[in-house]
Amino acid sequence: VSRNRVTLQTIADRLGVSRTTVSNAYNRPDQLAPELREKVPATAAELGYTGPDAAARRLRSGSREAVGLLSTGWLSYAFTDPAAVLFMQGFAGALEREGLGLLMLPGRGYGSVRVPDAIRDAVVAGFCLHSLPAGSEDLDAVVARGLPIVLVDEPRTGAHTFIGIDDEQGARLAAEHLLELGHRRIGAVCFRTTDDDYDGPITAEREAGATYPVSRARLRGWREPLEAAGIPPEDHPRIECAWNSLDAGAAAVRRLLTERPQLTAILFSSDQLALGGRRAARDIGRADVSIVGYDDIPEAAHLWPPLTTIRQDFAELGRRCLTALLGGDDESVSIVPELVVRGTTAPPRA
Amino acid sequence: VSRNRVTLQTIADRLGVSRTTVSNAYNRPDQLAPELREKVPATAAELGYTGPDAAARRLRSGSREAVGLLSTGWLSYAFTDPAAVLFMQGFAGALEREGLGLLMLPGRGYGSVRVPDAIRDAVVAGFCLHSLPAGSEDLDAVVARGLPIVLVDEPRTGAHTFIGIDDEQGARLAAEHLLELGHRRIGAVCFRTTDDDYDGPITAEREAGATYPVSRARLRGWREPLEAAGIPPEDHPRIECAWNSLDAGAAAVRRLLTERPQLTAILFSSDQLALGGRRAARDIGRADVSIVGYDDIPEAAHLWPPLTTIRQDFAELGRRCLTALLGGDDESVSIVPELVVRGTTAPPRA
DNA sequence: CTGAAAGCGCTAACAT
DNA sequence: ATGTTAGCGCTTTCAG
């Protein structure tokens, strides 16, 4: 991509003034001779000058008008995850009020493309890392930049500002709700626990080895109240989905309900999975199964029956991220989620 | 945001080599004395050097590792529109394969924040403008940058590469489908036609004054086949929604069905509106009304009954955008949409 | 394999 | 109101 060879100097020469004056025409038009105020844009247009070069201005002024965002895996995948989109929305909302741009970095290499290079070359004021697996190499590359960092959802390194939602507490609320309703056989469908594209049952070993803290926390938040209520592990079967999609949720539920028809309720780690799962339950004549989602995406309230779920305040999350990034307010924050009881939970039928 | 005062030179001085050599350590590690290869990173770490400054490198090398994206209105709003998200997903997918970042610019000023400034300061290789209203001032600011531009969906200025989906054709397919089914009283719910936050009936005058070409094209694509079939304007009432949300669709349908209970079918300019509208129709006991959406978002196929809609190939759209931006392939393209008949359309009940 | 020279295009003090 | 001076931090020929 080549740019014009016309620079401030070109305009200055043509006008017989100094470069500084032309620069002022762009940056401080108020303190400029009225005559020049017209002439500068005119000659600029005539000569094909497209305004001060953004990169040069950045170098000189040191200002950075954007913040970098790095998500897990393919960037395009982040857009398919409603919860991720909700987060981006919240973050973008905070940024745009400050006039900042959001630089979304490729989250995954391809061919000769390397993520660390993209990280190294990002002209940004700081980085927000969303849901990176623990021990990610990309995290190291970001840390190497020496810019402000905020980690969202995961991982919690201890070394950097962390902002997240108390996942364990949210899961606990969901599990306790079902328990109070009288359920004793409660399945669960969880989003990836580790970056290995695994779909299938979650054993105790797999839970222990989980590298995604969010999933780990939710699994525990579900499990502990059930254990406390004396429910044996066999009555709390859990399935992992590598993808957060409607299809994945549906497949997990088909499997769960086929292998354990006695289940009366299912917990999900996202509304997306829950919605797909509900659909599958209905299709196999098990509309009676109680369902609790997680996130409270807009569809949750609108579909029929509306989904009981755990609400996460993404707008607040986004705001906090930016504050942490810019204000240097490096206190880590855990936002408390909330149970929203709607139409998909009821006492067990039997 | 201040950076370190440590530069390449600092490392060079400490090591007793030239700046160039240190630069090579970062950019061409292969052609470097093995001894130095270890020492440079070591002293860098020791001195707190965080690697070559991104802005300076950009200025010097002229490379731009990101592309700018500008959407209408608040950036955070774009994330609430499933069709916009689908587009971003497609575009991001194309970008990340090239290792490029996506710089999302604030789409709306706030306080002293000005969108044109953000546009002027973006360090990018080109701009993609998504669904801007005709005559947008921001478009001028982008044009002033003199970088490659691609316009998506709207506006079609003629002066720049345009990539979009043939909206009129898509709408036509939807209308003809209903006609073939035997419907003769067909309402429509359309997303904004003009940037004035209007919610209400669309008169012929309002249609004529529409500044959003996409809406204009869809309105025409619906209207013309109906006219050709001899259906009078009274039997094709249309409502405009300022927002593309489930709620807006629901409100529009309540209004439409209250004022014209004789309608047997409703066309929508998005699946989001259609889903909200279907819900409203059902709530007021009019589940019999046939519904056609637009976009084919993932939910469309998964909800029950699955939505009849017009499919747009967003991945293809995103790919074409990038090609146009980088390859300089400035031929405008119109992708042809496709009717997907599913469960929400049937012959009129009466 | 390493260094010296020569800017990339601009802005910020500080004069005038 | 405009000019002068002095780089921002880096990469890139081109020599050695």
Side-chain angles (χ1 to χ4, degrees):
Chain A
V1 182
S2 69
R3 287 198 80 252
N4 243 314
R5 286 303 83 200
V6 185
T7 75
L8 273 187
Q9 189 68 67
T10 320
I11 312 290
D13 291 349
R14 179 62 157 274
L15 253 39
V17 298
S18 90
R19 207 175 18 180
T20 309
T21 303
V22 182
S23 173
N24 280 336
Y26 284 97
N27 299 311
R28 275 180 283 286
D30 40 310
Q31 31 185 277
L32 202 66
E35 190 192 0
L36 278 176
R37 244 214 289 234
E38 315 186 318
K39 274 193 175 166
V40 169
T43 29
E46 180 189 340
L47 267 41
Y49 180 63
T50 55
D53 180 84
R57 166 198 285 246
R58 285 257 188 293
L59 171 58
R60 183 60 244 231
S61 70
S63 67
R64 299 292 121 98
E65 316 297 24
V67 165
L69 174 64
L70 192 67
S71 301
T72 326
W74 294 110
L75 175 53
S76 47
Y77 173 68
F79 287 101
T80 69
D81 182 340
V85 171
L86 246 20
F87 165 70
M88 293 191 248
Q89 183 191 338
F91 192 43
L95 286 166
E96 67 187 336
R97 278 161 195 280
E98 304 293 331
L100 293 168
L102 176 59
L103 178 62
M104 310 193 88
L105 297 165
R108 192 141 174 173
Y110 183 78
S112 62
V113 169
R114 314 200 48 72
V115 178
D117 290 350
I119 291 168
R120 230 185 65 183
D121 291 344
V123 185
V124 294
F127 289 93
C128 175
L129 310 191
H130 187 221
S131 282
L132 253 50
S136 159
E137 294 182 346
D138 298 336
L139 174 57
D140 299 337
V142 172
V143 171
R145 284 293 303 269
L147 294 173
I149 296 180
V150 57
L151 299 170
V152 179
D153 279 1
E154 49 199 359
R156 204 171 210 133
T157 63
H160 305 280
T161 305
F162 173 90
I163 301 202
I165 292 185
D166 188 335
D167 294 291
E168 183 174 333
Q169 176 59 13
R172 193 176 295 276
L173 292 172
E176 287 171 350
H177 171 56
L178 290 178
L179 247 16
E180 280 164 22
L181 250 20
H183 293 273
R184 307 285 299 172
R185 297 167 202 269
I186 303 174
V189 178
C190 190
F191 187 33
R192 66 184 164 199
T193 65
T194 293
D195 221 353
D196 61 0
D197 288 351
Y198 171 79
D199 279 286
I202 302 177
T203 59
E205 293 71 43
R206 189 159 175 90
E207 179 183 350
T211 56
Y212 277 103
V214 165
S215 292
R216 192 191 194 110
R218 294 187 188 178
L219 286 171
R220 186 171 50 232
W222 288 331
R223 182 172 43 75
E224 289 185 353
L226 300 193
E227 285 175 354
I231 292 176
E234 315 87 82
D235 288 348
H236 178 44
R238 303 165 303 175
I239 298 268
E240 175 169 346
C241 297
W243 302 101
N244 185 19
S245 66
L246 295 165
D247 282 332
V253 163
R254 274 192 295 271
R255 178 161 181 176
L256 224 35
L257 255 21
T258 305
E259 297 179 1
R260 313 283 186 107
Q262 67 277 41
L263 293 176
T264 61
I266 304 179
L267 294 155
F268 292 82
S269 74
S270 81
D271 285 352
Q272 180 91 324
L273 290 171
L275 259 18
R278 174 172 69 173
R279 176 64 204 297
R282 208 183 278 174
D283 287 350
I284 58 179
R286 290 300 307 274
D288 63 289
V289 173
S290 282
I291 278 174
V292 187
Y294 209 116
D295 290 336
D296 196 23
I297 64 177
E299 286 77 12
H302 265 267
L303 266 22
W304 192 255
L307 192 66
T308 294
T309 191
I310 303 296
R311 172 178 301 152
Q312 313 207 69
D313 189 342
F314 291 102
E316 172 72 7
L317 193 63
R319 246 177 274 126
R320 300 276 198 149
C321 280
L322 190 57
T323 311
L325 232 35
L326 301 182
D329 174 11
D330 60 352
E331 211 164 325
S332 291
V333 177
S334 230
I335 297 173
V336 178
E338 183 190 346
L339 171 71
V340 183
V341 178
R342 289 199 276 241
T344 55
T345 44
R349 177 178 281 182
Chain B
V1 181
S2 68
R3 287 196 81 254
N4 242 314
R5 288 299 85 197
V6 186
T7 75
L8 273 187
Q9 189 68 66
T10 320
I11 312 291
D13 291 349
R14 180 61 158 276
L15 251 38
V17 297
S18 89
R19 205 173 28 187
T20 309
T21 303
V22 183
S23 173
N24 281 336
Y26 285 97
N27 299 311
R28 275 180 283 287
D30 40 310
Q31 32 183 280
L32 202 67
E35 189 191 1
L36 278 176
R37 244 215 286 231
E38 317 187 319
K39 275 193 174 167
V40 169
T43 29
E46 180 189 339
L47 266 41
Y49 180 62
T50 54
D53 179 84
R57 164 199 286 247
R58 284 256 189 292
L59 171 59
R60 183 60 243 234
S61 70
S63 68
R64 300 293 120 98
E65 317 295 24
V67 165
L69 174 64
L70 192 67
S71 302
T72 325
W74 294 109
L75 174 54
S76 48
Y77 173 69
F79 287 100
T80 69
D81 182 341
V85 170
L86 246 20
F87 165 70
M88 293 190 245
Q89 183 191 339
F91 192 43
L95 286 166
E96 67 187 336
R97 278 160 197 280
E98 304 294 330
L100 293 169
L102 176 60
L103 178 62
M104 311 192 86
L105 297 164
R108 191 142 176 173
Y110 184 77
S112 61
V113 169
R114 315 200 49 72
V115 178
D117 290 351
I119 292 169
R120 229 184 65 182
D121 291 345
V123 185
V124 294
F127 289 93
C128 175
L129 310 191
H130 186 221
S131 282
L132 253 50
S136 159
E137 293 182 347
D138 298 336
L139 173 57
D140 299 337
V142 172
V143 171
R145 284 292 303 271
L147 295 173
I149 297 181
V150 57
L151 299 170
V152 179
D153 280 358
E154 48 197 0
R156 204 169 211 136
T157 64
H160 306 279
T161 306
F162 174 90
I163 301 200
I165 293 184
D166 188 336
D167 295 292
E168 184 174 333
Q169 176 59 13
R172 192 175 296 274
L173 292 172
E176 287 169 351
H177 171 57
L178 291 178
L179 247 17
E180 280 164 23
L181 250 20
H183 293 274
R184 307 285 299 173
R185 297 167 201 268
I186 302 173
V189 178
C190 190
F191 187 33
R192 64 183 168 201
T193 65
T194 293
D195 221 354
D196 61 0
D197 287 353
Y198 171 80
D199 280 286
I202 303 178
T203 59
E205 293 71 43
R206 190 160 175 90
E207 181 183 350
T211 56
Y212 276 102
V214 165
S215 292
R216 193 192 194 109
R218 295 189 187 177
L219 286 172
R220 186 171 49 232
W222 288 331
R223 182 171 43 75
E224 289 185 352
L226 301 193
E227 285 175 353
I231 292 176
E234 314 87 82
D235 287 348
H236 180 43
R238 302 166 302 174
I239 297 269
E240 175 169 347
C241 297
W243 302 100
N244 185 18
S245 66
L246 295 165
D247 282 332
V253 164
R254 273 192 295 272
R255 178 160 181 177
L256 224 35
L257 256 20
T258 305
E259 296 178 2
R260 313 282 185 108
Q262 68 275 41
L263 293 177
T264 61
I266 304 180
L267 295 155
F268 293 81
S269 74
S270 81
D271 285 352
Q272 179 92 324
L273 291 171
L275 260 17
R278 174 173 69 173
R279 177 63 205 295
R282 208 183 279 174
D283 286 351
I284 58 179
R286 291 298 309 272
D288 62 291
V289 173
S290 281
I291 279 174
V292 187
Y294 209 115
D295 290 337
D296 196 24
I297 63 177
E299 286 77 12
H302 264 268
L303 267 23
W304 193 255
L307 192 65
T308 294
T309 192
I310 303 296
R311 173 179 299 153
Q312 315 206 66
D313 189 342
F314 291 102
E316 172 71 8
L317 194 62
R319 247 175 274 126
R320 300 276 198 149
C321 280
L322 190 57
T323 312
L325 232 34
L326 300 182
D329 174 10
D330 59 353
E331 211 164 323
S332 291
V333 177
S334 229
I335 297 172
V336 178
E338 184 188 348
L339 171 70
V340 185
V341 177
R342 288 199 276 242
T344 55
T345 44
R349 177 177 283 181

